[in-house]
Amino acid sequence: MIDLRSDTVTKPDEAMREAAATADVGDDVYGEDPTVNDLEARIADRLGTEAALYFPTGTMANQTAARVHTERGQEVLADRQSHVVKYELGGLAQHTGLQVRMLDADRGVPSPERVAAATVTEDLHRPGTGLLCLENTHNARGGLAIDPEKIAAAATAARERDVAVHLDGARLFNAATAFDVPITDLTAPVDSVMVSLSKGLGAPVGSMLAGSEAFIERARRTRKLLGGGMRQAGIIAGPALEALENIDDLETDHENARLLADGIDGVDGFDAQDPETNIVLADVSGTGLEPAAVVERLRDRDVLATQFGPTTVRFCTHRDVAREDIDATLERLEAAFD
Ligand SMILES: *Cc1c(COP(=O)(O)O)cnc(C)c1O
């Protein structure tokens, strides 16, 4: 089976299993797990923030960030296609009582003018804007890598208006790889950032939230509130530390995505968006089939992909698919849609 549904499907390698077995552990709710503390320090250092906190999931980290940055009833500015809007079960409303002002932004990042126009000041009738949420890479728009200037422009416009900025960087290492810039170029303009270790980097479990000492102190309480206070978490933080060794391999996933997209484009009825990172979105309307039927036909040939929209199928490259798997995928795709 060649599994291109998501980069979350990777399985821990030998080094990660070894790290899990041998991790030095303690009770992390007491702050006593040395492996977790090491991971948090290493991530803060890498992202250029004062502190960082280990979370079981990116969703919990994003929701925690939103809750810490805002007050109940405030507005959040976010792209209509963003993960916090589309895929987190309305958590901004459920957990924190926030109202989302959705923007349709070019490449998913609003211009400074859009940020300025969408920000509302608190008064008798209006709740005030508490947060701007950005996403990089942008998942639903096809793994778009957003450049540091665009992030900085939007973030600056918000912060000038006393609006905090959170960056959902589930795949931020992919964005830094795509631009070949230090990841701190992408984190410097924002107040907080979430990065996932369980996607392209291949860790079995975990995402990090990073920001100032004061922010992380409050995030620690919110994580506990949401039920995310973990005990001997070094067992999963150990493999996550191993995953940091895999950052340089992301370029291979990007190369594989480009090969895959080129090949897909050559198949009748398929139109692939040029991938900027490890996600390939293919419009399949030319096949005359629904995306679900396309996915089904591929599954019959042991290739897994995801239905991703009314006419779109998503393919995602990752550490557990090799160049040969890309070649095999294309052969099977051609055979299936001959
Ligand atoms: C996967 C993802 C998340 C959430 O991560 P989970 O660990 O699955 O909760 C958040 N934002 C983006 C952009 C993602 O792709």
Side-chain angles (χ1 to χ4, degrees):
M1 195 65 88
I2 301 172
D3 194 344
L4 297 163
R5 288 172 303 170
S6 173
D7 47 9
T8 55
V9 300
T10 56
K11 300 204 174 138
D13 58 23
E14 275 313 308
M16 289 181 192
R17 289 173 189 273
E18 174 74 14
T22 58
D24 197 2
V25 298
D27 190 330
D28 182 49
V29 172
Y30 294 163
E32 291 174 2
D33 189 299
T35 308
V36 171
N37 292 343
D38 185 20
L39 176 64
E40 291 176 346
R42 296 255 303 264
I43 288 287
D45 185 51
R46 213 174 241 285
L47 300 183
T49 60
E50 286 175 6
L53 191 63
Y54 186 44
F55 279 78
T57 66
T59 300
M60 192 190 280
N62 277 341
Q63 293 297 327
T64 294
R67 190 174 166 105
V68 172
H69 283 306
T70 59
E71 281 166 39
R72 185 178 171 75
Q74 282 190 318
E75 289 197 9
V76 178
L77 304 179
D79 178 52
R80 185 178 301 278
Q81 302 289 340
S82 62
H83 196 279
V84 289
V85 169
K86 278 185 97 170
Y87 302 126
E88 299 189 12
L89 295 108
L92 297 175
Q94 299 219 55
H95 300 303
T96 312
L98 298 169
Q99 165 161 288
V100 178
R101 187 173 287 238
M102 285 186 276
L103 307 174
D104 291 297
D106 175 43
R107 295 174 61 78
V109 180
S111 66
E113 295 75 25
R114 282 302 298 283
V115 172
T119 301
V120 298
T121 307
E122 183 185 326
D123 65 15
L124 182 60
H125 303 283
R126 307 203 292 178
T129 304
L131 182 66
L132 167 66
C133 198
L134 302 173
E135 184 173 319
N136 199 9
T137 65
H138 199 297
N139 179 1
R141 291 179 184 267
L144 300 183
I146 312 301
D147 66 70
E149 291 72 28
K150 210 164 155 93
I151 295 285
T156 304
R159 294 176 75 179
E160 280 171 2
R161 290 165 179 78
D162 287 328
V163 173
V165 183
H166 173 66
L167 176 59
D168 174 352
R171 296 187 182 83
L172 196 64
F173 288 106
N174 294 82
T177 301
F179 290 113
D180 196 18
V181 297
I183 197 161
T184 48
D185 286 8
L186 295 162
T187 58
V190 303
D191 295 290
S192 62
V193 57
M194 183 279 274
V195 294
S196 290
L197 306 176
S198 59
K199 292 196 167 161
L201 301 185
V205 182
S207 291
M208 308 297 300
L209 182 61
S212 70
E213 293 275 8
F215 170 81
I216 291 298
E217 204 179 295
R218 295 188 60 205
R220 194 179 286 281
R221 295 187 75 232
T222 299
R223 185 184 66 173
K224 191 75 173 69
L225 170 70
L226 298 177
M230 298 182 284
R231 302 298 178 172
Q232 285 72 41
I235 293 286
I236 49 175
L241 274 164
E242 283 299 320
L244 296 180
E245 305 299 317
N246 298 338
I247 293 168
D248 289 344
D249 298 345
L250 292 173
E251 180 52 38
T252 307
D253 297 346
H254 297 185
E255 242 169 70
N256 283 338
R258 288 193 290 271
L259 284 169
L260 185 62
D262 280 351
I264 288 174
D265 248 348
V267 180
D268 255 3
F270 284 77
D271 182 16
Q273 181 177 315
D274 277 344
E276 298 182 8
T277 54
N278 68 326
I279 293 174
V280 178
L281 295 187
D283 187 306
V284 300
S285 43
T287 62
L289 296 170
E290 296 289 321
V294 171
V295 166
E296 192 55 39
R297 202 182 282 191
L298 285 171
R299 179 188 279 274
D300 289 342
R301 296 186 185 243
D302 289 339
V303 173
L304 301 182
T306 307
Q307 174 180 355
F308 207 60
T311 62
T312 311
V313 173
R314 188 183 83 166
F315 300 83
C316 195
T317 60
H318 53 76
R319 325 187 29 79
D320 288 1
V321 288
R323 170 70 195 268
E324 296 80 69
D325 298 315
I326 301 298
D327 295 339
T329 297
L330 291 171
E331 278 165 26
R332 295 179 204 178
L333 191 70
E334 278 157 22
F337 294 92
D338 199 0

